[in-house]
Amino acid sequence: MASFQAQLEESADRVTVALDALLARPDGPEARLASAMRYAALGPGKRIRPFLTLAAGRMLGADERGLLRAGAAIECIHAYSLVHDDLPAMDDDAVRRGRPTVHIAYDEATAILAGDALQSAAFEIMAGADTHPSPKVRLALVEGLAKASGARGMAGGQMIDMLSPERHGDDIGVLTRLHRMKTGALISFSVDAGAILAEASADARQALEGYAHDLGLIYQIVDDLLDAEGLPSIAGKAVNKDARQGKTTFVTILGVDGARERARHLAAQAKEHLDLFGTSAKILEQCVDFVLERRS
């Protein structure tokens, strides 16, 4: 796991360098917007989504430059989603990754615009000729990112999450759908983006889709466990929020032990999806263990 951690950190550093080069620098009367965008996107973080893009793409032989650009675009979408999720009208969080959230560090209007601009930047990066020489491949990336982040993906999942608990109750099917959209859709696309850039076979993409689906659910179950049991100093954000807000989670439905068991079952299943790739998928297998055991 120490080797995996080193690879994760190396990937995060490379994506940060790519983002630094791709994002606008503060200049002119709109400088405050660029500053807020960079605060949101370049701050501390594991950058697990672009890591998945790099890992899947490298396994399948994709070009490194394109993988870094696609990973940077996905991180822009993730950063925008966090900026908006933290707003008072949404989750109303003052701390993210141990720092003031964007609307606290700047102001609400700037945070909204920073999120909007990060979303636009993601599609600009993904559509750029430097991401892949084939327009067909770039179009597939743009389409996939739009689906993963839109009404049938991340944004739709957030809408379900904002509904009162009475609207979805203790239905684990609805909860699973919620997180398949809110968290899992972008994680799934992160893996698929590497396969798209490698112009991988349908069989390879299907196997990776199953892997990513299970990984996204593991990620959310562990998130629920961390909210129930974690420490703010380790998590880098407020904990026990779900209980205070009366939210339905995998922990409230399954209990702590049941949620852990569900995560372990999904971890084993995720690894089975990788059998097609043999030993070349080792880093993706290690990623399952990392997500399962994470503490922040």
Side-chain angles (χ1 to χ4, degrees), residues 49-58 67 70-71 74 189-191 193-194 197:
R49 290 158 188 81
F51 173 82
L52 288 167
T53 302
L54 288 165
R58 286 168 176 167
L67 290 171
I74 291 166
F189 174 71
S190 298
V191 176
L197 283 162

Side-chain angles (χ1 to χ4, degrees), residues 226-279:
L226 289 173
D227 186 78
E229 301 182 310
L231 297 172
S233 58
I234 297 175
K237 60 182 179 180
V239 297
N240 297 318
K241 283 194 66 185
D242 293 337
R244 289 196 301 272
Q245 296 175 355
K247 278 191 175 183
T248 302
T249 70
F250 286 103
V251 172
T252 63
I253 293 177
L254 300 174
V256 169
D257 291 340
R260 283 205 185 96
E261 181 55 35
R262 178 64 64 91
R264 285 192 288 265
H265 170 75
L266 287 166
Q269 191 169 274
K271 291 179 181 180
E272 287 177 6
H273 288 299
L274 298 174
D275 288 347
L276 175 69
F277 307 106
T279 57

Side-chain angles (χ1 to χ4, degrees), residues 12 15 70 90 110 138 246 249 257 274:
V15 172
M90 302 278 272
T110 301
R138 299 198 304 273
T249 70
D257 291 340
L274 298 174

Side-chain angles (χ1 to χ4, degrees), residues 66-291:
L67 290 171
L68 278 170
R69 285 178 60 90
I74 291 166
E75 190 68 8
C76 284
I77 291 288
H78 179 56
Y80 123 71
S81 75
L82 298 182
V83 172
H84 283 190
D85 282 359
D86 290 337
L87 289 167
M90 302 278 272
D91 289 346
D92 195 14
D93 277 313
V95 177
R96 168 73 64 178
R97 294 169 177 167
R99 303 190 308 166
T101 49
V102 176
H103 70 276
I104 297 295
Y106 292 83
D107 56 74
E108 285 187 43
T110 301
I112 292 169
L113 289 172
D116 293 344
L118 282 167
Q119 184 184 50
S120 298
F123 288 101
E124 180 182 358
I125 294 165
M126 202 68 95
D130 287 341
T131 301
H132 196 280
S134 167
K136 183 179 178 180
V137 169
R138 299 198 304 273
L139 178 60
L141 289 169
V142 168
E143 182 181 21
L145 184 58
K147 288 180 177 178
S149 57
R152 298 289 184 181
M154 184 179 68
Q158 178 68 13
M159 184 72 257
I160 299 172
D161 197 27
M162 289 174 62
L163 297 173
S164 63
E166 296 78 22
R167 295 286 292 277
H168 49 79
D170 291 338
D171 186 335
I172 196 165
V174 174
L175 184 67
T176 300
R177 176 180 172 82
L178 185 169
H179 292 302
R180 174 70 184 92
M181 294 167 68
K182 181 182 176 183
T183 305
L186 194 58
I187 287 177
S188 290
F189 174 71
S190 298
V191 176
D192 194 35
I196 291 171
L197 283 162
E199 299 181 81
S201 69
D203 286 347
R205 289 183 66 181
Q206 185 176 7
L208 288 172
E209 181 183 4
Y211 163 82
H213 174 272
D214 292 338
L215 185 68
L217 282 177
I218 297 165
Y219 197 97
Q220 186 57 51
I221 292 170
V222 173
D223 242 18
D224 289 351
L225 286 165
L226 289 173
D227 186 78
E229 301 182 310
L231 297 172
S233 58
I234 297 175
K237 60 182 179 180
V239 297
N240 297 318
K241 283 194 66 185
D242 293 337
R244 289 196 301 272
Q245 296 175 355
K247 278 191 175 183
T248 302
T249 70
F250 286 103
V251 172
T252 63
I253 293 177
L254 300 174
V256 169
D257 291 340
R260 283 205 185 96
E261 181 55 35
R262 178 64 64 91
R264 285 192 288 265
H265 170 75
L266 287 166
Q269 191 169 274
K271 291 179 181 180
E272 287 177 6
H273 288 299
L274 298 174
D275 288 347
L276 175 69
F277 307 106
T279 57
S280 64
K282 182 179 179 181
I283 190 69
L284 291 174
E285 288 185 0
Q286 291 176 329
C287 190
V288 174
D289 295 328
F290 173 80
V291 170

